[in-house]
């Protein structure tokens, strides 16, 4: 048998979609004839890609994380308050933010695994708590400001010959994606995938199901925190930055062919799903589709994509996905 | 006091269904728990409000709680029907806004157009429910994604076409929003009627039994000869019509249609929260309307108590989140959701 690069199950379609979108962008807008245009796209997409990778861990293990949007908002608001415009604060605050993200993820995971509450409800509760707490704390208008050194991760870059300026956020995304791929190829990652497919089997085989689920939620929280750092740098501070990002991240993951209910899908596909979604929005923009209609197009696309996936993988998987969708712990 | 018949009825019902495993004695089911919590909250809330020099349960207070409960109640009762089948509907919030607009724009302030306006709004709702159901059953799309997709399409339509309130409702129709029979608002009676109809459908008709069967195990139901697809589609249509009624009610209350009236109140996630609070398993196959009504009343009472205490509105979200998770955790201790998941 010859060794060839192997794509995980279900990765190919989203890569085709992504390629088509990127080529279409080149035809639609003059900005996309040079690397700079694509790098700008990657920079815009970076937070969503991170969120999609984080959501992937939770979805593939059979859960949902609806709290990431609210978590992003909370992180950005906390960052603005604590950095208070002072450059010296940037790095300690970033460390604190990542810690907070992990903490929220762990809390989600602990309630899901120890108290046996379905993750849909746990993270919905966390969404309400975080949203309420942020508004309670800020009264709707975040105080404080970010410093230039904090924002460099989201908007800055470094010069590379031929490519021009490469944004730091692209580097972050590449590093995280590579790490995620390595993780999913490790024993732990493979077992995580198995948990989503059949947690009873994993438990009987001696796998630590609860601990794996906990890891998945913690990673989702960590990556949401990282996404918040990039997003704050890129877009600035507001109390609405994270609104709706949880559904967008789930859309991205599903667009990447990851099956809700768990057990199937690759991390590369999830990341590519996030990138595709952002590329799609850019394309719609260039084609002059009004911003308000974007969500309608997004809705049609994800339903079509999932319907296509359900068709092409046969009825068994379709019925499984349907029956297990909102049902997971 | 009014809470007593509810849990008793359901207890008898669950006992009838599970006689084999469960002895016929008082069982502390989630449905009982939610009404106990409601009574505790009413007592504690009355005490707290009294300390602040107010009265929670005077006529105004009762009207306030019932009015708050009406729109959410309509949506949540519909949501119960789909959750019981193991599905869920994330499109209800936008649908509420859409139906309020359809009703108000059709009426356009004219008293003669009230009936066509209401019927058209409900028809639009039924079509949206049909689309939800068909996308789930025929195209095999996961309910979460299917209804999220439909929600996004509706949102796109609303955001593209409307910037604010539109249409207007004749004065005669506004009675639906404000008239009362004694201390009970007409809208609350309407919601109660819908809840009773949904209870009857779930517990007394073949379609209802099929809904539980499909929610319990779709493959077993199919092999037993249940038309699973038709059951799911019916549930989605009924759910959407209930959400459409909520939209019509809100149009009567606001005097016009408002595109964001449903999303601002978060009826999508809020209704699911009320359903789960009422003891219906998110996995499907278990629970019912009586619990949902309790969950809705609990949330509405919580809101009213906080309002009377002049608590920061955003604090309510925090409490609501904690209540939701704690409640479900307590149920889960009793009856693990694991098995179904």
């Amino acid at each position: 048998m010859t060794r060839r690069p192997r794509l995980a199950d279900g990765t190919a379609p989203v890569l085709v979609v992504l390629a088509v979108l990127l080529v279409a962008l080149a035809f639609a807008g003059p900005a996309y004839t040079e690397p700079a245009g694509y790098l700008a796209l990657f920079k815009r997409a970076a937070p969503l890609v991170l969120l999609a990778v984080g959501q992937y861990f939770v979805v593939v293990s059979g859960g949902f994380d609806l709290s990431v949007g609210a978590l992003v908002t909370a992180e950005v608001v906390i960052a603005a308050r604590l950095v208070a415009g002072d450059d010296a604060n940037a790095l300690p605050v970033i460390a604190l933010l990542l810690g907070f993200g992990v903490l929220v993820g762990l809390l989600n995971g602990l309630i899901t695994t120890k108290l046996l509450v379905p993750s849909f409800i746990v993270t919905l509760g966390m969404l309400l708590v975080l949203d309420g707490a942020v508004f309670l704390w800020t009264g709707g208008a975040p105080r404080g400001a970010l410093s230039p050194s904090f924002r460099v991760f989201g908007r800055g870059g470094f010069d590379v010959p031929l490519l021009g300026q490469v944004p730091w956020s692209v580097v972050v995304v590449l590093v995280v994606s590579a790490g995620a791929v390595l993780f999913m190829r490790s024993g732990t990652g493979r077992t995580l995938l198995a948990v989503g497919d059949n947690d009873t089997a994993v438990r009987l085989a001696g796998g630590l199901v609860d601990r794996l689920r906990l890891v998945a939620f913690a990673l989702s929280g960590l990556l949401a925190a990282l996404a918040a750092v990039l997003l704050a740098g890129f877009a600035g501070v507001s109390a609405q930055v994270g609104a709706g990002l949880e559904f967008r991240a789930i859309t991205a993951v599903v667009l990447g062919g990851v099956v809700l209910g768990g057990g199937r899908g690759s991390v590369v596909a999830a990341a590519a799903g996030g990138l595709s979604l952002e590329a799609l929005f850019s394309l719609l923009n260039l084609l002059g589709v009004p911003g308000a209609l974007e969500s309608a197009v997004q809705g049609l696309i994800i339903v079509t994509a999932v319907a296509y996936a359900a068709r092409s993988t046969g009825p068994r998987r379709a019925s499984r996905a349907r029956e297990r969708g909102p049902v997971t712990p | 006091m009014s809470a007593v018949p509810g849990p008793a009825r359901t207890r008898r019902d669950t006992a009838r269904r599970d006689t084999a495993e469960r002895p016929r004695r008082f069982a502390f089911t989630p449905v009982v728990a939610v009404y106990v919590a409601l009574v505790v909250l009413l007592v504690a809330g009355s005490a707290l409000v009294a300390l602040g020099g107010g009265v929670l349960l005077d006529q105004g207070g009762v009207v306030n709680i019932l009015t708050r409960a009406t729109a959410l109640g309509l949506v949540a009762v519909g949501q119960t029907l789909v959750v019981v089948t193991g599905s869920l509907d994330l499109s209800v919030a936008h649908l509420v806004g859409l139906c309020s607009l359809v009703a108000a724009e059709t009426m356009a302030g004219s008293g003669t157009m009230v009936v066509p306006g209401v019927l058209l709004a409900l028809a639009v709702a039924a079509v949206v429910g049909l689309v939800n159901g068909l996308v789930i059953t025929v195209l095999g799309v996961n309910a979460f994604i299917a209804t999220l997709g439909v929600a996004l399409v509706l949102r796109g339509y609303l955001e593209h076409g409307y910037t604010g309130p539109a249409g207007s409702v004749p004065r005669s129709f506004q009675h639906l929003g404000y008239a009362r029979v004694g201390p009970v608002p007409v809208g609350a009676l309407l919601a109660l009627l819908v809840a009773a109809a949904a209870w009857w459908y779930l517990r007394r008709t073949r379609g209802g039994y099929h809904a539980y069967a499909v929610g319990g195990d779709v493959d077993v139901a199919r092999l037993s000869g249940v038309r699973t697809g038709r059951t799911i589609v019916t549930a989605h249509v009924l759910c959407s019509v209930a959400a459409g009624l909520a939209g019509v009610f809100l149009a009567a209350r606001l005097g016009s249609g408002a595109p964001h009236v449903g999303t601002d109140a978060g009826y999508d996630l809020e209704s699911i929260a009320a359903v789960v609070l009422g003891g219906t398993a998110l996995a499907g196959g278990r629970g019912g309307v009586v619990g949902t009504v309790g969950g809705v009343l609990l949330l509405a009472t919580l809101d009213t108590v906080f309002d009377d205490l002049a608590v920061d509105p955003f604090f309510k979200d925090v409490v609501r989140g904690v209540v939701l998770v704690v409640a479900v955790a307590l149920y889960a201790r009793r009856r693990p959701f694991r098995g179904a998941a």
Side-chain angles (χ1 to χ4, degrees):
Chain A
M1 240 172 51
T2 51
R3 211 179 126 73
R4 58 187 181 86
R6 194 174 51 86
L7 283 175
D9 153 48
T11 310
V14 69
L15 292 182
V16 171
V17 168
L18 181 59
V20 168
L21 283 169
L22 293 181
V23 171
L25 275 173
F27 281 103
Y32 292 95
T33 50
E34 292 175 39
Y38 288 104
L39 286 173
L41 170 68
F42 289 150
K43 182 160 113 179
R44 267 200 309 282
L48 183 58
V49 172
L50 292 181
L51 287 172
V53 171
Q55 190 73 239
Y56 165 82
F57 292 124
V58 177
V59 168
V60 91
S61 68
F64 283 101
D65 192 346
L66 297 180
S67 67
V68 289
L71 180 57
V72 165
T73 307
E75 296 272 8
V76 169
V77 168
I78 293 172
R81 186 73 165 265
L82 295 185
V83 171
D86 189 348
D87 266 340
N89 291 338
L91 286 180
V93 169
I94 289 178
L96 193 83
L97 294 181
L98 298 184
F100 183 65
V102 172
L103 201 71
V104 169
L106 282 177
L107 203 56
N108 280 334
L110 280 174
I111 299 175
T112 306
T113 54
K114 300 298 174 211
L115 300 183
L116 306 180
V117 180
S119 63
F120 188 93
I121 298 295
V122 176
T123 55
L124 171 58
M126 186 59 86
L127 179 159
L128 290 171
V129 169
L130 285 174
D131 262 352
V134 161
F135 274 91
L136 198 60
W137 196 37
T138 60
R143 273 163 286 173
L146 298 170
S147 64
S149 65
F150 184 97
R151 302 193 68 163
V152 76
F153 295 100
R155 49 162 56 165
F158 56 95
D159 286 322
V160 167
L162 288 177
L163 285 178
Q165 201 194 43
V166 175
W168 284 111
S169 48
V170 172
V171 178
V172 172
V173 165
L174 289 178
V175 170
V176 166
S177 305
V181 168
L182 288 179
F183 173 73
M184 287 313 289
R185 296 199 166 190
S186 72
T188 317
R190 286 174 197 277
T191 322
L192 186 70
L193 200 71
V195 166
D197 198 32
N198 187 342
D199 57 348
T200 315
V202 173
R203 197 170 284 122
L204 292 176
L208 298 169
V209 171
D210 285 0
R211 195 175 297 174
L212 287 164
R213 286 219 164 98
L214 209 58
V215 167
F217 277 104
L219 285 173
S220 175
L222 176 69
L223 290 180
L226 205 55
V229 171
L230 297 189
L231 202 60
F234 181 75
V237 180
S238 91
Q240 276 86 38
V241 274
L245 277 182
E246 63 281 354
F247 286 131
R248 212 169 257 209
I250 293 176
T251 304
V253 167
V254 171
L255 203 57
V258 180
V259 174
L260 289 182
R264 265 165 241 259
S266 85
V267 69
V268 174
L275 198 54
S276 306
L277 208 54
E278 204 64 45
L280 178 72
F281 290 141
S282 304
L283 185 64
L284 292 178
N285 236 332
L286 282 174
L287 295 178
V289 174
L293 278 181
E294 259 182 19
S295 66
V297 177
Q298 186 191 349
L300 287 176
I301 300 257
I302 68 162
V303 169
T304 315
V306 177
Y308 173 77
R311 281 274 121 132
S312 57
T313 50
R316 187 184 124 68
R317 189 151 137 194
S319 92
R320 263 173 63 95
R322 190 160 61 223
E323 135 205 357
R324 299 184 47 179
V327 167
T328 47
Chain B
M1 286 309 278
S2 63
V4 173
R9 195 158 48 202
T10 312
R11 177 161 50 82
R12 208 181 327 125
D13 238 10
T14 29
R16 189 178 302 151
R17 284 190 305 136
D18 304 340
T19 23
E21 354 173 338
R22 201 173 299 177
R24 257 178 176 275
R25 61 180 173 82
F26 181 83
F28 198 69
T29 60
V31 180
V32 178
V34 76
Y35 281 97
V36 169
L38 177 62
V39 171
V40 170
L41 180 65
L42 283 172
V43 172
S46 299
L48 281 174
V49 173
L51 279 182
V55 185
L56 177 66
L57 287 180
D58 56 358
Q59 171 143 334
V62 173
V63 169
N64 207 346
I65 291 176
L66 291 177
T67 307
R68 273 170 201 277
T70 301
L72 178 62
L74 285 168
V75 180
V77 164
Q79 189 76 256
T80 311
L81 299 178
V82 289
V83 173
V84 158
T85 63
S87 188
L88 87 179
D89 191 346
L90 294 173
S91 68
V92 282
H94 289 103
L95 184 58
V96 167
L98 179 68
C99 288
S100 77
L101 285 167
V102 170
E105 288 198 320
T106 310
M107 290 177 199
S110 138
T112 52
M113 292 301 282
V114 165
V115 174
V118 172
L119 290 180
L120 193 61
L122 297 185
V124 167
V127 169
V128 171
L130 192 64
V131 171
N132 276 330
L134 291 179
V135 169
I136 292 167
T137 54
V138 176
L139 297 183
V141 177
N142 179 299
F144 185 94
I145 293 296
T147 57
L148 177 60
V150 169
L152 289 171
V153 171
L154 293 180
R155 176 178 154 198
Y157 174 76
L158 290 175
E159 284 183 354
H160 186 60
Y162 299 92
T163 48
S168 80
V169 163
R171 191 157 273 282
S172 58
F173 189 63
Q174 291 203 18
H175 289 310
L176 174 64
Y178 290 97
R180 295 209 303 258
V181 181
V184 183
V186 172
L189 286 177
L190 169 77
L192 204 62
L193 204 67
V194 171
W199 177 85
W200 177 80
Y201 171 73
L202 278 180
R203 298 289 187 188
R204 291 286 178 269
T205 68
R206 178 177 303 202
Y209 286 124
H210 286 179
Y212 281 101
V214 169
D217 191 320
V218 69
D219 290 325
V220 171
R222 184 180 298 117
L223 293 174
S224 314
V226 174
R227 292 175 204 266
T228 54
R230 188 185 288 182
T231 307
I232 292 172
V233 172
T234 309
H236 273 281
V237 171
L238 293 176
C239 169
S240 293
V241 170
L245 270 176
V248 169
F249 167 73
L250 287 170
R253 235 177 124 75
L254 298 172
S256 68
H260 301 299
V261 65
T263 42
D264 286 346
Y267 283 137
D268 40 7
L269 296 178
E270 196 88 338
S271 64
I272 294 175
V275 169
V276 172
L277 211 54
T280 300
L282 204 49
R286 232 168 19 209
V289 173
V290 181
T292 299
V293 172
V296 169
L297 287 174
L298 191 69
L299 289 176
T301 309
L302 208 57
D303 259 5
T304 310
V305 170
F306 281 141
D307 266 8
D308 284 358
L309 296 175
V311 172
D312 191 300
F314 301 115
F315 185 62
K316 281 193 291 205
D317 269 350
V318 177
V319 174
R320 195 172 292 175
V322 173
V323 165
L324 178 63
V325 171
V326 169
V328 179
L330 289 177
Y331 304 161
R333 282 251 155 269
R334 249 150 239 299
R335 309 194 295 184
F337 281 79
R338 273 291 160 84

